[in-house]
Amino acid sequence: MSNPNFSYEVTHVCKQSGARLGVLHTPHGDIQTPIYMPVGTSACVKAMTSREMEEIGTQILLSNTYHLHLRPGEELIREAGGLHQFMDWHKPILTDSGGFQVFSLAGIRKIKEEGVTFQSHLDGSRKFISPEVSMDIQQALGSDIAMAFDVCSPYPCDYKTAKESMERTHRWAARCKEHHSREDQALFGIVQGAFYEDLRIESAKTLADMDFIGYGIGGLSVGEPKPVMYEMLDKIRPFMPENKPRYLMGVGSPDCLIEGVLRGVDMFDCVLATRIARNGSVFTSKGRVVIKNGKYSHDFGPLDEACDCYACTHFSRAYIRHLFNAKEITGGRLASIHNLRFLLHMMEEIRQAIAEDRLLDYRDEFYARYDLTKNF
């Protein structure tokens, strides 16, 4: 698909690992890949302002089609001038299709060929999203990147279920492409196929033939062991177009970011960073720290000595622990600032390691200091 508003170029391939650097050009600026995208589900990254998101080095945010459709509604956001204006964020935005959220409503939704009927988790009202409706919502939101409406298979699932979901995903992808018309918005297809190698390869090939601007890899990180996810990425990598960005959906733990990049992934997103921050857990260069624990009550060092974020350069572990124990919302805010900056800085280091052809060395150094027994 040719679109003058969007282009992707691979700028360097790591001689040591085969991982790649790239640039995705969009109407709201260039995105240096590989990149982690913080999640602003309801047009807001929880506990963060748009200014703070820019200060920590965010290149692109993700917002949620399903949640914004229910509240406040895409027409209100269109009236406000689009999602960028509504949330005062003037860099790129990606919106998911709503497919995963509908998939998560297993007990209160019904999937048919036309689309999905479900009950709102807010008030129980009856709703309907089809490929065409998902495109209409995302076009009204005005994101830079829209995702095709897909069917996500559960883990585990039998072959028949996985194949039917994949084939419907392909039919819906064609409908999305046919209906989508906004030229200043890129449309990505989504590879499905659950955990069956032949289905994953078939899906990658089929969607590649449809010639989307980019490709999501969906249906991973849904409960399977990490080695299984890595195996699927290895299997489909040869069949993913080299000249298009690849987006591993819903993945954002530090180890998975490294392993994904090593397998040719360019874009990641996950709510993990802010979710665990609100509960008092933080990433550090040595592994996870539960800052609420009593052993930090007299610890006057930063959350992570290697971090340059506002929380680490101004406050101690003892102070942030005190905020959590006193139920002050600033504790969650500082932990969120730190966790997001930690991942964004890590991706900066990964890009530098690729540029210097030493990503495998970087991986080994990371695992030598990072305690995976305290991972997520």
Side-chain angles (χ1 to χ4, degrees), residues 100-288:
F100 181 78
Q101 284 68 41
V102 171
F103 154 78
S104 301
L105 301 172
I108 52 176
R109 53 102 168 123
K110 188 171 185 179
I111 302 176
K112 292 186 177 181
E113 189 63 25
E114 304 82 50
V116 183
T117 302
F118 61 95
Q119 288 179 269
S120 164
H121 74 284
L122 297 176
D123 59 12
S125 61
R126 191 176 179 84
K127 303 290 183 179
F128 174 76
I129 295 181
S130 66
E132 293 78 11
V133 170
S134 178
M135 294 299 95
D136 288 340
I137 296 169
Q138 293 183 78
Q139 290 183 114
L141 294 174
S143 55
D144 298 272
I145 300 172
M147 302 301 297
F149 195 55
D150 62 328
V151 184
C152 183
S153 301
Y155 176 82
C157 71
D158 60 70
Y159 188 88
K160 180 175 181 292
T161 299
K163 183 175 176 63
E164 289 175 349
S165 297
M166 178 199 71
E167 290 174 342
R168 178 166 284 162
T169 290
H170 296 167
R171 293 192 296 272
W172 284 4
R175 286 167 58 185
C176 287
K177 193 171 182 184
E178 175 68 23
H179 192 76
H180 186 267
S181 61
R182 186 161 180 162
E183 292 187 356
D184 62 347
Q185 184 181 67
L187 178 61
F188 282 25
I190 302 178
V191 174
Q192 289 289 352
F195 296 90
Y196 297 96
E197 178 182 344
D198 62 326
L199 296 183
R200 281 285 174 179
I201 292 173
E202 179 183 349
S203 187
K205 287 181 175 180
T206 299
L207 289 166
D209 288 343
M210 292 186 186
D211 195 24
F212 285 94
I213 291 175
Y215 295 91
I217 304 168
L220 298 180
S221 191
V222 290
E224 79 282 1
K226 290 179 181 180
V228 175
M229 176 176 70
Y230 301 153
E231 180 184 3
M232 286 297 103
L233 291 174
D234 286 331
K235 298 296 185 184
I236 65 173
R237 180 178 182 177
F239 304 96
M240 301 287 288
E242 289 288 341
N243 63 336
K244 304 291 181 70
R246 306 160 183 164
Y247 161 31
L248 179 55
M249 306 176 74
V251 172
S253 65
D255 54 325
C256 287
L257 293 178
I258 293 177
E259 297 297 337
V261 170
L262 285 168
R263 290 162 174 81
V265 175
D266 306 297
M267 304 167 69
F268 304 82
D269 85 282
C270 193
V271 299
L272 178 67
T274 49
R275 178 177 290 166
I276 65 170
R278 296 192 302 276
N279 292 310
S281 289
V282 294
F283 299 126
T284 77
S285 54
K286 296 180 180 179
R288 178 171 63 100

Side-chain angles (χ1 to χ4, degrees), residues 3-25:
N3 187 320
N5 294 301
F6 297 89
S7 63
Y8 178 73
E9 57 180 318
V10 176
T11 59
H12 183 75
V13 177
C14 181
K15 295 181 178 66
Q16 189 187 61
S17 67
R20 61 197 201 161
L21 291 175
V23 183
L24 176 58
H25 303 284

Side-chain angles (χ1 to χ4, degrees), residues 330-350:
T330 302
R333 278 182 36 75
L334 291 174
S336 296
I337 289 170
H338 167 74
N339 277 355
L340 291 169
R341 177 56 189 158
F342 180 91
L343 294 183
L344 292 167
H345 179 65
M346 180 179 178
M347 297 307 292
E348 292 169 2
E349 292 182 329
I350 286 173

Side-chain angles (χ1 to χ4, degrees), residues 60-118:
I60 174 174
L61 295 179
L62 181 144
S63 281
N64 188 284
T65 294
Y66 166 84
H67 288 282
L68 292 175
H69 174 57
L70 294 184
R71 182 175 57 192
E74 64 273 13
E75 290 307 320
L76 185 147
I77 293 175
R78 191 206 301 268
E79 181 184 346
L83 198 51
H84 294 86
Q85 189 69 23
F86 188 55
M87 64 187 294
D88 191 36
W89 177 257
H90 303 290
K91 292 186 177 183
I93 298 173
L94 181 148
T95 46
D96 60 14
S97 68
F100 181 78
Q101 284 68 41
V102 171
F103 154 78
S104 301
L105 301 172
I108 52 176
R109 53 102 168 123
K110 188 171 185 179
I111 302 176
K112 292 186 177 181
E113 189 63 25
E114 304 82 50
V116 183
T117 302
F118 61 95

